[in-house]
Amino acid sequence: MIRRGAFLAGAAAVLSGCNRYQTSLGGEAAESANFLRLFWTFMAVCTLMYVLLVGGMLIALWRSRKAREALVVENGRHHASAPILRPLLIGWAALILVGLSALAIASFVTDRSNAANASHPKLVVTVTANQWWWDVQYSLQGTTTALRTANELHLPVGVPAEVILESNDVIHSLWIPNLAGKQDLIPGRVNDLQLWPKKTGLYRGQCAEFCGLQHAHMALDVTVESKTDFARWLTAQKRPAFAPQGPVETAGYRYVTSRACASCHTVSGTQAGGTVGPDLTHFASRRSIAAGTRPMDRGNLTAWVADPQGLKPGTNMPKIPMRRDEVRAVVAYLERLK
Ligand code: CUA
């Protein structure tokens, strides 16, 4: 009974696409909608052929049994059905030809449509993969400096974006199923991905190629929002980091900007300028920590600062011996960085 219940729950989850947060059955962007249309075309043609084939086979079995029975009675007159076989076979061959042609044409149209969509990007974002997090840089019009964030992608709805893909270490693969297909990030090579979101929403991207110990904890939070919300987000991200308030945050600020943290992380407007790890300038405005490993909240943040290896074994962030009050101060300051 329990097994049946679990099966039904599983089937319901599959049929509903689990949720709309991470599914390739959503079609929330131009490319994923094209792929979805192609998927259903393949599904329809292949299902039709399968049903006809199995149906034909069952009829043949049934007829051969009848023929054998007739053979016993009439002895040798079971070839009476042969004349019908020829047109049936010709029809079947023609159907295969039409089916395969339909699939080839549908694939070609999808490919051309995706290529046409990619021709006029209005926004350029560079995503660089690392073990195990995503560095995200927005090229801003009119300036040479890029806006830097990590493990999140904000996109305005209805605006075609080109995402330049690079990697600092091994081969990764970026997959945001709601928006597009997979694309590899290869060291020493530049790839690109076209994202033209058509619906606002929160989506989840994920590294889709085994890259090491924390491959599974390499998620990318994607926010597709209205143009106004995107402009607001961009303005907020361009601001230098907020100053600490009160003695605890100030102690945290001093720790982050003068101790080991500063050699890997940048907090703009302070002396912390490391580029090895994620930019922390507006860290607390993100939805999750450690590339989607845990939601952004004080408990998870405390666990992360106190022992990164405990939360994400193998991460490049080392465990730094800290007193309790130092952990509390660093967490308080990080929470200020909205
Ligand atoms: Cu990066 Cu798997």
Side-chain angles (χ1 to χ4, degrees):
M1 198 62 192
I2 291 171
R3 211 185 269 175
R4 202 169 140 209
F7 171 77
L8 287 176
V14 168
L15 290 174
S16 66
C18 295
N19 54 45
R20 313 309 284 173
Y21 184 45
Q22 185 175 26
T23 171
S24 48
L25 297 177
E28 280 96 351
E31 186 171 311
S32 57
N34 274 341
F35 283 146
L36 194 59
R37 222 170 290 124
L38 188 64
F39 170 76
W40 287 122
T41 308
F42 266 70
M43 198 63 155
V45 170
C46 294
T47 305
L48 177 74
M49 298 305 261
Y50 182 76
V51 166
L52 286 176
L53 192 73
V54 172
M57 221 163 66
L58 290 177
I59 290 171
L61 280 172
W62 177 68
R63 281 178 62 92
S64 82
R65 220 174 103 187
K66 255 184 76 178
R68 225 179 298 126
E69 280 162 8
L71 197 65
V72 177
V73 183
E74 294 182 29
N75 195 16
R77 305 204 62 184
H78 60 291
H79 290 299
S81 65
I84 200 181
L85 208 59
R86 208 178 137 83
L88 261 181
L89 281 175
I90 292 173
W92 178 242
L95 202 62
I96 289 174
L97 198 70
V98 170
L100 287 178
S101 304
L103 296 186
I105 292 168
S107 303
F108 179 76
V109 168
T110 303
D111 182 60
R112 290 297 87 203
S113 168
N114 282 343
N117 289 345
S119 52
H120 301 292
K122 295 259 168 60
L123 179 72
V124 180
V125 192
T126 304
V127 173
T128 309
N130 297 275
Q131 287 188 335
W132 291 276
W133 60 283
W134 309 95
D135 186 52
V136 179
Q137 300 198 33
Y138 286 78
S139 310
L140 300 176
Q141 278 175 342
T143 61
T144 48
T145 52
L147 185 145
R148 195 161 170 250
T149 178
N151 302 324
E152 63 165 359
L153 197 58
H154 279 250
L155 296 170
V157 71
V159 175
E162 181 181 24
V163 183
I164 313 276
L165 302 172
E166 293 171 11
S167 173
N168 274 334
D169 35 50
V170 294
I171 299 176
H172 306 261
S173 173
L174 178 60
W175 192 26
I176 311 164
N178 294 72
L179 305 184
K182 296 172 190 175
Q183 187 60 271
D184 279 1
L185 300 93
I186 303 165
R189 201 195 138 112
V190 180
N191 272 351
D192 67 330
L193 186 67
Q194 312 302 323
L195 300 177
W196 190 353
K198 301 286 187 180
K199 278 185 204 159
T200 56
L202 304 178
Y203 308 118
R204 185 177 187 273
Q206 165 69 41
C207 181
E209 186 158 315
F210 183 71
C211 53
L213 204 55
Q214 287 296 329
H215 154 73
H217 286 155
M218 203 170 157
L220 181 75
D221 291 324
V222 182
T223 306
V224 175
E225 55 205 345
S226 70
K227 283 176 196 158
T228 328
D229 285 347
F230 177 74
R232 204 175 295 146
W233 175 81
L234 211 58
T235 310
Q237 296 290 312
K238 277 190 232 169
R239 277 199 303 255
F242 286 118
Q245 309 275 308
V248 181
E249 287 181 19
T250 305
Y253 160 79
R254 284 209 198 96
Y255 194 100
V256 169
T257 54
S258 64
R259 304 283 285 270
C261 317
S263 55
C264 290
H265 298 285
T266 292
V267 181
S268 88
T270 74
Q271 53 186 342
T275 54
V276 179
D279 189 299
L280 299 180
T281 309
H282 297 289
F283 172 74
S285 69
R286 296 172 200 160
R287 269 151 58 194
S288 63
I289 57 171
T293 305
R294 293 284 173 87
M296 174 76 71
D297 63 38
R298 184 170 295 173
N300 288 329
L301 200 48
T302 305
W304 175 248
V305 170
D307 183 11
Q309 298 298 321
L311 206 66
K312 195 169 177 174
T315 176
N316 285 334
M317 181 155 149
K319 180 179 178 176
I320 296 169
M322 292 167 85
R323 295 194 314 266
R324 273 176 174 225
D325 61 305
E326 286 172 336
V327 172
R328 206 160 69 87
V330 167
V331 169
Y333 176 56
L334 290 176
E335 285 183 318
R336 169 65 51 197
L337 301 178
K338 293 269 186 202

